Amino acid sequence: MHLSGPNRRDALLNLAGAAAALGVSGCTRGPASGPGELVVATGPPGAVYREIGSRIAMLLDEELDGTEVVTVETGASHDNLVLLEGGEAHLGLANLDSVLSTEAAEGSGIRAVGRLYDSFVHLVVMGDSPVQSIEDLDGRPVSIGEVNSGTEFTAEQVLAETGVGADPVRLDQAASAEALASGEIDAMFSLTGLPTPAIASLAENHDVRLIDLAGTADLMVGVHPDAYFPANIPATTYEGIAACPTMSIPNLLLCRTDLPDGLVVRITDSVYRGAEALAEERPEAAQINVRTGISTGVVPLHPGAAQWYREHKPA
């Protein structure tokens, strides 16, 4: 089952009682039977969150007997955190910098299943654009991502720290790529895994470039060293686009604190055992492994996830 479109919030309200219906209060140890329904908050069209979140949901649907796993299309990180905090979703993906902006690390009812993969900041322009640096965005219309998305949060942080006065437009990944190609905007930010479908499609049909963000990365790492890391988008990522310095941000799979321990053990096991199959569809899933999975920063692991890591720690 999949919910999407402008009425997704109204649809989610109908799921608000799902946590109670699942009987997820309290904790259990050992085997857990699958609940009747499990709600997974994913992301917007054209984004890796939507694709990898949907594939994780399919994997869980196969592994949890008697459970219908429901995927909910969202704006991404911030939306997902709101839904988790409100009990309207049970699992969701979020960027670590978005998590740090909330009270998730301070008892908001959210815990981590594990670190999945890293997202990379893209600043995309057309090949013939006069924009050569982030400073050139001053006064220009720039998509900073959908409202309440991780892209929006990070782009706003970047623009604030650099002092660049871009004219922000809020579009999802797919709509941003279309607006860039049609000349409605001069650039688009995207915070996503590699490759992101919207940018890959854009690059296949148009001459586009990535703006070097090495200096921006150094600035952001200095301000928030727990969330941002210097990185590079390889030349092999997108057709015709050269390698480009940027910064990366870890992505976490989060869950409600009140999910039973035994259920989260099964969820964690399913995700990590299924990582190889996930990577066949989404390359970033190849980063999912036990060694880095526990590196969730300030967000504590759910006790069920911690139990699974203890039992499967590398030799």
Side-chain angles (χ1 to χ4, degrees):
M1 178 178 175
H2 171 68
L3 302 177
S4 62
N7 295 320
R8 68 175 184 265
R9 287 283 188 165
D10 293 337
L12 279 168
L13 291 177
N14 295 326
L15 296 172
L22 289 176
V24 296
S25 60
C27 296
T28 61
R29 292 285 179 184
S33 59
E37 187 173 67
L38 196 68
V39 182
V40 182
T42 61
V48 172
Y49 266 20
R50 183 177 178 184
E51 295 204 359
I52 201 166
S54 295
R55 283 168 172 77
I56 287 175
M58 291 174 62
L59 181 65
L60 295 176
D61 196 49
E62 295 172 357
E63 294 291 331
L64 299 175
D65 294 336
T67 299
E68 180 184 11
V69 181
V70 180
T71 60
V72 182
E73 179 186 305
T74 70
S77 287
H78 189 272
D79 259 2
N80 295 350
L81 290 166
V82 170
L83 299 182
L84 284 165
E85 287 181 309
E88 297 167 29
H90 307 105
L91 294 169
L93 293 92
N95 300 314
L96 182 55
D97 64 337
S98 293
V99 177
L100 291 173
S101 72
T102 72
E103 297 178 355
E106 300 175 11
S108 66
I110 297 175
R111 289 293 180 267
V113 174
R115 176 173 173 171
L116 297 180
Y117 64 95
D118 291 350
S119 280
F120 293 73
V121 177
H122 301 61
L123 179 54
V124 190
V125 299
M126 301 305 292
D128 59 357
S129 171
V131 175
Q132 298 296 325
S133 69
I134 190 170
E135 289 78 16
D136 293 335
L137 297 182
D138 209 58
R140 296 180 181 273
V142 178
S143 176
I144 62 171
E146 189 172 14
V147 173
N148 287 339
S149 66
T151 296
E152 180 194 41
F153 179 83
T154 301
E156 288 181 336
Q157 304 306 302
V158 166
L159 293 174
E161 293 296 339
T162 58
V164 173
D167 180 14
V169 178
R170 290 169 172 81
L171 301 170
D172 66 36
Q173 303 281 344
S176 294
E178 292 176 4
L180 183 60
S182 67
E184 296 175 48
I185 58 175
D186 289 335
M188 64 174 281
F189 278 98
S190 175
L191 175 65
T192 185
L194 301 179
T196 185
I199 297 174
S201 178
L202 183 67
E204 288 174 1
N205 298 291
H206 301 277
D207 178 23
V208 295
R209 293 184 286 111
L210 293 173
I211 298 299
D212 186 323
L213 295 176
T216 302
D218 290 342
L219 173 65
M220 299 304 292
V221 170
V223 176
H224 300 290
D226 293 333
Y228 302 115
F229 302 88
N232 194 63
I233 298 175
T236 55
T237 306
Y238 302 106
E239 182 177 339
I241 299 183
C244 187
T246 185
M247 61 184 180
S248 65
I249 302 168
N251 288 290
L252 309 181
L253 178 60
L254 304 173
C255 68
R256 291 277 308 166
T257 304
D258 52 10
L259 285 182
D261 289 9
L263 174 60
V264 178
V265 168
R266 293 187 64 190
I267 290 170
T268 309
D269 186 64
S270 297
V271 169
Y272 283 88
R273 283 194 300 104
E276 185 174 348
L278 288 172
E280 293 177 2
E281 298 290 335
R282 290 303 319 172
E284 53 280 302
Q287 298 179 45
I288 300 174
N289 65 81
V290 178
R291 292 183 184 278
T292 60
I294 61 173
S295 301
T296 57
V298 297
V299 187
L301 288 168
H302 186 285
Q307 175 184 326
W308 187 88
Y309 288 116
R310 285 195 300 272
E311 295 171 353
H312 294 83
K313 59 184 178 182

